[in-house]
Structure formats: structure tokens, C-alpha cells
Amino acid sequence: MHGAVSPLVAAAMFGPLLVSTPPPAAAQSRDTLLSALKEPLRAGFAPLVPAPPGHPVLLRPDRVFDAAGEATHAGWVVLVQGDSIAAVGPADAVRAPNGTETIALPGLTLLPGLIDAHSHIFLHPYNETLWNDQVLKEPVGYRVVEAVLHSRNTLLEGFTTLRDLGTEGAGFEDVSMKRAIDQGLIPGPRLQVSTRAIVATSSYGPGPRGFRPDLDLPQGGQAVSGVPQVLEAVREQAARGADWIKVYADYGRGPGGQSVPTFSQEELNALVSEAHSSGRPVAAHATTPEGMRRAILAGVNTIEHGFGGTDSVFRLMAQRGVAYLPTLTAVEAYSEYFDGYVRGQPPTASMREAAQAFQFALKAGVTIGCGSDVGVFTHGTNARELEWMVEDGMRPAQALLAATAVNARILGLEKRIGRVAVGLRADLVAVAGDPTQDIAATSRVQFVMKDGVVYRRP
């Protein structure tokens, strides 16, 4: 090892060797893993996670988008006390207590922290490393380090909550990531996690197609067949810490690699019934009309992707109250990596198909949230999904609602986040310009607060 070692690294690597044993009569001070966070402060280093302000904070933007509707409110301010919003409204109607810090945000719009309801923090873009190689060749410890960086980058770009839909071969490490973020060890969005995801036997990957038949390959999901194994997988994932159960209702296992259904109606019915019995909602990967139909009839809570969905399937989704996460940016990314698409050029056939599905969903009145499938593309650029939602037919403010109040309802968090309202968590983001007029403003983040802690400021 060359060069100086920081106190934080030294404490983590050599702590047990460097701490002398006190004499028996000496007073013992309580110590925990969290003491590793105190050392940088004592040494004058910047902490990984900023400290709470310790006093009220008054935010003064040009306007506030509170996500109660599509309008913005010029001249409004937001008062934050502790981890929650204490007051919001016109500046002359909000009284700040003594000792309040005022943060001016001129030229900016303040809005609720953004929510991406379909992410993969253990993946990175496939033009860097193909999916198979990430699952087969990258050690889980390495992927955890990547996930730490991905989470930080996501938070600093204004996404304060993620629903992470599968570790893709990294086991139950998303549960550990969630714990580390919640305990303040690392910066990141609040997470809802789904652990391993449930796939049908020999119907996901890596392989078996294209690999020697005598290889026992690591898998990107938990493979099962039949109702007993389905129930066992749901129960195990719930017990291990899953907030959602993720199932692949179809995948590319057809004779030519085309997507076809993977589970029978009986298997899906059992999966959803057991997940709901355990208090977990269900997200279904489904891109074919039949895969979507089976998942909807089984009672899943959300459909992911839905690229091949028909008008009648989306009407069925609306009737059954199933929400839709369109992942439009993932389709653009695949087109870039594998079809030669260049941004600004006419869309590829797969992009046109995804846009048509999105428009079917809009027409049918389906609840549409913002879910991007980030990880397929670069973490921290999640706002690209909002731009595609507008490109494919939403009003800018409608897309903003999808990424705030609507997503909060989909995730069951509407009493905690998703709006700028008194009593809700102080997850607040400020962007340059007015995103209700120009949705690209969501990629110009200048200020980020999560749970009342300031992570980024102008």
C-alpha cells in the first residue's frame, strides 16, 4: 500500500489493530459502526452525508410546483423544520421563527423530490459492459461499490426516491444498500427494493441459450417452476427484506428469441396472492399483450415496459387499476447501443412501438408513473425519461406529476412524499427555469434537499 491512508479508511481496515485495550478500571465509551462517520468531521474532512442543519430553513425560489395540480406558484416560499415541511405559501403568509436560515434560489423552480419507480442501481450502461458480463464477471463486492456511486449521483441530480426492481445477480444486496442509506452511512435516495426478482426456469439469463449445456451459470433472477416454488420464492424474498415482489411475466425465450409468456395464469395468480398476503405489491415485467393480460388478471400492481401492449390491454389495465411504468429511455438506450440510433435522428421501430404503447395508455386513462429503467443508461440522467414522456404525448406538468405525486401514490408513500405540503418529508429540488413550460429544466438541478438535509446548493 502506497501513500497516506485517510482516517476513515484506516478505521475501516485496521481499526481492531489500532485500538489499544484500556485497563480494566477505565470507563468504556459506547461505539458503533456509525463512529466511522464521525472521524472525518473530527479531522476536518467533508462527511459523506451532510449533517442536518439543526435550525429551520426557509427556501425562497422564484416559484413553487407543489404537485397538488399542474400550476406553479410565483412568490411562494417553503419553511423546513427538522425533516419535514412546516409551512408553504406566499412569502408574506409564512412566518419564520428566530434562527431560521434563508436560502435564496433566484431563477429556480422548487418542486418535490423526483421519484423514479423503475431503477437498477447494480447495473451500468450496456455500452460500457454488456449485461451478461456484468452478471457473470463483476464480483458482487465491486457491484456494491458501483451501486454506492450510482445512488449518490442519482440523489445529487434531484431523484430523492427510487423503486429498485431487481439486483440482477447481486442477491439481496439492495436490502443492505437501503439500510446503509437509511442509517446515514452513504448518500442516496430512499429505496424501495425487490431483491432478486422471480423468473421462470431457463427463461431469463445469463443463458442457457448460447452457452454450453453443461455450465451452471449464475442467474440474474430467482428461477422457479410451478406453484410450490413460486410461493417459496415470494416468501423468501419477503423475509429477506423485499418491499415489492418483481416477476417476469414474459421474456425472450421464444424459438427465435422473441418475447413470449413465461408463467401460467395459475402460477401468476399464486404469486400475486401470496405477495399481497405478505403485504407486498407486485411489479410485472411484461412486453407482450398476452404476458400483460395474464399479469393484469392475476392482480399485479404495476406493469413495467408494456411496449407491445394493445389498446384493449391498456383499457383492461385502466379498468383493473394497474399502473404503468413505460421505461421509454431504456428503449432509446437499446437503440443507441444495438441499432445505431443517434439522438436527434428519426426514432427506430422499437422506439415507435414504445411511443404507440404510451399513447394507448394515455388514451385509455391508465395511471402512468415515471419509471426509466436507469442502469440500462447512466445513473443521474433519470430526467431523460420525463423528456421522452413529453415527446410522446404528455404535457410537461403532467410528466412532473408522474414523477412526484403519482409515483408517490403508486409506491404507497403519498402520506410522506411526492408533494410540497405541510407535514410531508422535506424532499425538495430546485431546477433552473420552469419545468412546467420546459421539461428539460428537470436536468438542470441546482439544489437538492432530502429529509431536510441539504445535499446540493447553488
Side-chain angles (χ1 to χ4, degrees), residues 39-360:
E39 181 61 25
L41 289 175
R42 286 195 291 263
F45 303 154
L48 291 174
V49 178
H55 51 255
V57 175
L58 185 69
L59 303 175
R60 287 186 174 273
D62 275 10
R63 64 193 70 81
V64 172
F65 176 79
D66 63 358
E70 295 193 12
T72 60
H73 305 280
W76 276 25
V77 298
V78 176
L79 179 66
V80 175
Q81 291 186 286
D83 62 6
S84 302
I85 297 170
V88 56
D92 58 4
V94 174
R95 293 187 177 181
N98 292 335
T100 296
E101 175 190 5
T102 297
I103 300 178
L105 302 169
L108 307 186
T109 300
L110 190 71
L111 56 146
L114 298 169
I115 305 168
D116 191 336
H118 190 130
S119 70
H120 293 282
I121 59 172
F122 289 90
L123 293 177
H124 57 101
Y126 301 165
N127 63 342
E128 296 175 356
T129 308
L130 293 174
W131 183 87
N132 268 355
D133 288 342
Q134 293 185 46
V135 176
L136 292 174
K137 298 179 181 179
E138 293 183 351
V140 171
Y142 180 86
R143 296 183 69 193
V144 170
V145 173
E146 291 181 308
V148 170
L149 298 178
H150 298 158
S151 297
R152 178 203 62 187
N153 294 347
T154 299
L155 176 62
L156 294 180
E157 291 299 334
F159 282 79
T160 56
T161 299
L162 297 178
R163 181 182 61 156
D164 205 63
L165 287 181
T167 62
E168 307 288 346
F172 299 98
E173 294 304 324
D174 53 352
V175 178
S176 296
M177 284 290 299
K178 176 181 177 179
R179 178 181 176 184
I181 291 170
D182 288 349
Q183 293 186 351
L185 292 177
I186 58 173
R190 70 172 42 78
L191 295 178
Q192 288 192 344
V193 299
S194 61
T195 71
R196 297 179 62 191
I198 296 173
V199 300
T201 301
S202 298
S203 300
Y204 191 48
R209 186 192 301 269
F211 288 84
R212 284 172 40 179
D214 59 332
L215 291 178
D216 185 11
L217 297 166
Q219 290 295 292
Q222 186 168 356
V224 298
S225 284
V227 169
Q229 288 186 6
V230 165
L231 296 178
E232 182 179 6
V234 171
R235 289 166 181 162
E236 180 186 9
Q237 293 186 13
R240 297 283 188 177
D243 300 301
W244 283 72
I245 300 299
K246 163 83 174 289
V247 62
Y248 282 74
D250 54 28
Y251 208 69
R253 67 178 188 128
Q258 69 270 35
S259 288
V260 295
T262 53
F263 286 107
S264 68
Q265 191 68 60
E266 180 187 22
E267 289 171 316
L268 286 174
N269 290 350
L271 182 147
V272 173
S273 177
E274 179 57 29
H276 287 174
S277 291
S278 76
R280 273 82 174 178
V282 179
H285 167 113
T287 64
T288 65
E290 180 60 15
M292 293 173 68
R293 188 188 71 83
R294 293 184 193 181
I296 295 163
L297 294 179
V300 302
N301 301 85
T302 67
I303 293 287
E304 315 299 313
H305 313 301
F307 307 137
T310 62
D311 184 49
S312 61
V313 167
F314 280 109
R315 288 200 305 270
L316 180 62
M317 282 182 66
Q319 292 165 10
R320 297 295 183 101
V322 179
Y324 174 47
L325 288 307
T327 67
L328 301 170
T329 313
V331 184
E332 179 196 41
Y334 273 97
S335 294
E336 288 179 329
Y337 305 156
F338 307 118
D339 297 331
Y341 173 72
V342 176
R343 295 184 205 182
Q345 289 186 351
T348 62
S350 60
M351 293 167 68
R352 292 194 298 272
E353 179 186 48
Q356 182 182 55
F358 187 77
Q359 289 152 13
F360 282 152

Side-chain angles (χ1 to χ4, degrees), residues 341-414:
Y341 173 72
V342 176
R343 295 184 205 182
Q345 289 186 351
T348 62
S350 60
M351 293 167 68
R352 292 194 298 272
E353 179 186 48
Q356 182 182 55
F358 187 77
Q359 289 152 13
F360 282 152
L362 277 174
K363 178 183 174 184
V366 173
T367 297
I368 302 176
C370 175
S372 70
D373 212 2
V374 68
V376 174
F377 60 97
T378 303
H379 293 275
T381 65
N382 311 56
R384 290 166 58 187
E385 184 71 13
L386 293 166
E387 296 186 43
W388 274 113
M389 294 170 83
V390 172
E391 177 71 23
D392 288 342
M394 272 191 170
R395 299 180 299 277
Q398 198 176 6
L400 280 178
L401 287 172
T404 53
V406 172
N407 265 358
R409 289 198 300 273
I410 291 172
L411 302 188
L413 297 176
E414 66 273 20

